[in-house]
Amino acid sequence: MTTDAFIADCRARLAFDLLSNTWNAVVIWALRDGPRRPVELRERIGGISPKVLTETLRRLQFNGLVDRLAGPDAPTRVEYRLTALGRTLLAPIEAVGAWAFEYGDEVMAAQEAACAPDA
């Protein structure tokens, strides 16, 4: 197994791809406390459309990170929960969030400086 993140078949690149999608980490984090119905996820997350949430949940399910649980009155009662594999991403997501909390102001200042007209 290679550890060079720029090689196409590197496993690290797979992880970066999973976390680089805007909504993957957000939905995983929203599911950390247990199963949720799609409407509960939309309320908890905010700013995500039903279509994008559905696409994200399907992508996470495809990758083995989320299970879809259909109740006895399916399809009206569907919940999603993290798999054991999905739970393994909580620590890296929390670490990235902690980094953003600590250094986010510096990143935003750099962005503002880059966009400022030359004086």
Side-chain angles (χ1 to χ4, degrees), residues 2-3 5-6 10 12-13 15 17 27-28 37 40-41 61-62 66-67 78 96-97 106 112 117:
T2 181
T3 58
F6 298 104
C10 179
R13 189 166 166 181
D17 286 345
V27 171
I28 289 169
R37 298 183 71 206
E40 294 170 323
L41 286 169
Q61 186 179 9
F62 173 80
V66 167
D67 279 332
V78 173
V96 171
E106 292 179 49
E112 289 175 13

Side-chain angles (χ1 to χ4, degrees), residues 64-86:
L65 304 174
V66 167
D67 279 332
R68 182 181 186 272
L69 309 167
D73 54 341
T76 58
R77 180 71 177 175
V78 173
E79 290 184 329
Y80 291 88
R81 71 168 175 212
L82 291 177
T83 63
L85 181 61

